[in-house]
Amino acid sequence: AAAACVPVRVCHQEIVRFDLEIKAAVQDIRDCPGPLSALTELNAAVKEKFRHLRGRIQELEQMAKEQDKESEKQALLREVENHKKQMLSNQAAWRKANLACKIAIDNSEKDQLLQGRDSVRQRKTTKESLAESASNITESLMGISRMMSQQVQQSEETVQTLANSSRTILEANEEFKSMSGTIQLGRKLITKYNRRELTDKLLIFLALALFLATVLYILKKRLFPFL
C-alpha cells in the first residue's frame, strides 16, 4: 500500500501542474494581440496539455479502481470527479478566451481593412482559423463528453451494486431477528421445564416419604400391636 501511494501522489502532482499550465496558457490566449498564427500555436499547446491532463486523470481513475480498501477507492474516485469538473471549467474558459481573442483580432483586422491592408487575404485567413479552432475545440469537448458518459455509467453500476448489497443485508437482518425470537422462545421453554422438573422431584420426594411413613406405621401395628 505504501508503494502504491507514490504513483498516486505523482499523478496528483502532474494533474495539478497541467491544470496550472492550462490556466496560464488560457490567460495567454486571452491576452494574445494576434496574429492568428500566434493564436493557433497557443491553441495547439493548450490542446496538447489537455491531452496529457486527460491521460493523467484516466490513470488516477484506474489506480482508484485497483485500491483494496473501499474507502480509499471512493476517496480517489471523488478526487477524479473533481479533476474532471475542473477540466471542464478550464475547457469553458479556453473557449471563452478564444472567442474574446478572435473578436479582438477580428476588430483589429477590420480597422486594418479600413486602412486598406490586405482585406481579402486577412478575411479568408480569419475564417479558416476560426473554423479550424472551432473544430479543435469541438473535438476536445466530444472527448470529454465520452469520458463523462463512461463515468456516469460506472456510477450507475456502483449504485446498483450498493442497492443489491443493502437488500442482502436487510434479508440477513430479518433472518437474525427470526432466529433471535426462536432462541428466546427456546430459553423460556427450558426455564419452564427446569421449574417443572424441580416441582416433580419435590412431589416424588413427598410421595416417597408418605409411602415410607405408611409402611412403618403398618409394620408397627403388625409387629408391635401393644405399642
Side-chain angles (χ1 to χ4, degrees):
C5 294
V6 175
V8 170
R9 184 167 60 250
V10 171
C11 193
H12 272 302
Q13 292 174 350
E14 292 188 353
I15 289 174
V16 173
R17 178 170 63 86
F18 283 122
D19 178 73
L20 294 176
E21 290 180 355
I22 288 172
K23 284 181 169 63
V26 169
Q27 185 61 44
D28 291 339
I29 290 175
R30 188 177 289 109
D31 299 335
C32 179
L36 285 173
S37 58
L39 179 60
T40 301
E41 291 179 0
L42 290 173
N43 277 317
V46 173
K47 183 178 179 181
E48 184 67 14
K49 293 181 187 299
F50 267 111
R51 186 180 68 81
H52 288 299
L53 178 60
R54 281 195 298 271
R56 295 299 177 273
I57 292 176
Q58 290 173 354
E59 289 177 8
L60 184 61
E61 186 175 13
Q62 184 61 36
M63 291 177 188
K65 295 177 181 178
E66 295 173 355
Q67 294 297 313
D68 295 332
K69 293 183 178 180
E70 186 64 20
S71 59
E72 295 179 357
K73 176 181 178 181
Q74 294 301 325
L76 284 177
L77 287 177
R78 285 192 294 270
E79 292 181 8
V80 169
E81 189 68 21
N82 290 335
H83 288 315
K84 288 180 179 180
K85 291 179 180 178
Q86 184 59 46
M87 184 172 62
L88 287 176
S89 177
N90 289 337
Q91 188 77 31
W94 179 28
R95 182 173 55 187
K96 290 179 180 179
N98 266 281
L99 292 175
C101 182
K102 287 169 185 176
I103 290 173
I105 293 175
D106 187 59
N107 291 335
S108 176
E109 290 178 349
K110 287 179 180 179
D111 293 338
Q112 292 178 1
L113 286 176
L114 294 176
Q115 298 174 7
R117 293 185 179 181
D118 303 326
S119 60
V120 177
R121 185 176 63 184
Q122 289 178 354
R123 285 180 180 274
K124 182 179 179 180
T125 303
T126 300
K127 290 180 180 179
E128 290 176 352
S129 298
L130 286 172
E132 182 181 357
S133 297
S135 176
N136 293 336
I137 294 174
T138 301
E139 180 183 352
S140 180
L141 288 173
M142 289 179 65
I144 295 175
S145 177
R146 286 192 295 268
M147 186 168 60
M148 294 299 293
S149 176
Q150 293 175 357
Q151 181 63 30
V152 170
Q153 183 178 359
Q154 292 173 357
S155 299
E156 291 176 352
E157 294 175 355
T158 301
V159 170
Q160 184 62 35
T161 301
L162 291 174
N164 294 335
S165 299
S166 299
R167 191 181 305 111
T168 303
I169 292 173
L170 289 175
E171 292 174 355
N173 188 33
E174 291 298 327
E175 292 181 1
F176 286 146
K177 288 182 179 179
S178 177
M179 291 176 62
S180 177
T182 303
I183 292 172
Q184 291 291 337
L185 179 60
R187 184 180 299 171
K188 290 180 179 178
L189 291 175
I190 290 173
T191 303
K192 185 177 180 181
Y193 173 77
N194 290 335
R195 292 176 180 175
R196 183 64 177 271
E197 184 180 7
L198 180 62
T199 303
D200 291 344
K201 287 180 179 180
L202 181 60
L203 290 175
I204 291 171
F205 176 77
L206 293 175
L208 182 59
L210 181 61
F211 174 75
L212 292 175
T214 303
V215 170
L216 290 174
Y217 178 77
I218 293 173
L219 290 175
K220 175 183 176 184
K221 290 296 183 181
R222 295 285 181 87
L223 298 177
F224 308 101
F226 52 84
L227 292 179

